[in-house]
Amino acid sequence: RNGSCYWVSIEVQPIRNDSGEVVNFMAVESDITQRRSDEQRRALQFNVSRILNESQSVARASARIIQEICKRLGWIQGGLWTLDENLDCLTLTENWHEATLDMRSFTEASYALAFERGVGLPGRVWASRTSHWIPDVMVDINFPRANTAAEAGLHGALAFPILNQGRVLGVFEFFSQRIEQPDDALLQA
């Protein structure tokens, strides 16, 4: 009724008359959205762990991780922001997006930026050392790339830190074309 998508499981049974002919049916619909999300999250964790295990470093695995997360979650763009310790800022070092979409302006704007602690989504994650979710970047007051995100049709955003002994090494960032409500279980994963 509210227009949001959800997963269902439907069990259908025939209703027969005295002659055994099917005259109607009975259907029971069950919302399995949470179960589907849990399965998707477990598969994502397994695949990212496998990618990391097969790679010698996060940097070498990052392109595959970004693509796996985007495809698994149905999000269209992802990037890795890494810490430049000399400049004390985050810069975009890896980027992936759906090939069918024109993300050129957003990608160019992202590569041209360097985020300080607390600035923009990557900077917020860096400052807090925790994951952040923005339902709609178009209405977020701390999203410097809002204009190019609007051109690309981006709305929902998710970012999480790469930590080593409590120190932020980088930030993975992902975007959707839909307004996405925060998923606490996914943020924890």
Side-chain angles (χ1 to χ4, degrees), residues 77-78 81 92 95 102-113 137-138 143-152 154 173 175:
Q77 199 276 343
W81 295 82
L92 186 63
N95 184 67
D102 182 8
M103 302 291 290
R104 202 174 12 223
S105 293
F106 184 75
T107 300
E108 288 172 1
S110 297
Y111 273 113
L113 289 173
V137 297
M138 296 298 102
F143 194 79
R145 296 169 287 163
N147 291 339
T148 56
E151 289 174 25
L154 301 178
E173 175 185 62
F175 294 94

Side-chain angles (χ1 to χ4, degrees), residues 31-150:
D31 182 340
I32 61 165
T33 305
Q34 187 61 49
R35 181 175 75 193
R36 177 87 175 169
S37 295
D38 293 344
E39 290 169 357
Q40 186 180 43
R41 191 174 45 259
R42 280 190 301 272
L44 177 62
Q45 287 175 307
F46 174 79
N47 287 343
V48 169
S49 294
R50 183 183 45 78
I51 291 168
L52 286 169
N53 190 44
E54 293 170 355
S55 302
Q56 294 182 0
S57 68
V58 173
R60 289 189 178 174
S62 62
R64 289 177 58 204
I65 290 171
I66 292 166
Q67 189 171 1
E68 176 68 23
I69 292 173
C70 284
K71 289 189 174 201
R72 208 40 91 168
L73 298 179
W75 292 39
I76 62 162
Q77 199 276 343
L80 170 63
W81 295 82
T82 54
L83 180 60
D84 183 328
E85 292 184 11
N86 294 329
L87 299 175
D88 197 35
C89 63
L90 292 169
T91 58
L92 186 63
T93 55
E94 190 69 52
N95 184 67
W96 180 90
H97 63 83
E98 283 291 331
T100 58
L101 301 172
D102 182 8
M103 302 291 290
R104 202 174 12 223
S105 293
F106 184 75
T107 300
E108 288 172 1
S110 297
Y111 273 113
L113 289 173
F115 286 110
E116 297 173 355
R117 277 185 190 88
V119 178
L121 182 55
R124 278 187 261 184
V125 171
W126 180 20
S128 69
R129 292 179 171 83
T130 62
S131 301
H132 283 264
W133 191 299
I134 302 173
D136 189 358
V137 297
M138 296 298 102
V139 296
D140 190 273
I141 60 172
N142 186 6
F143 194 79
R145 296 169 287 163
N147 291 339
T148 56

Side-chain angles (χ1 to χ4, degrees), residues 73-75 133-136 155-157 176-182:
L73 298 179
W75 292 39
W133 191 299
I134 302 173
D136 189 358
H155 289 281
S176 171
Q177 288 184 315
R178 299 176 306 274
I179 294 173
E180 300 277 354
Q181 295 307 314

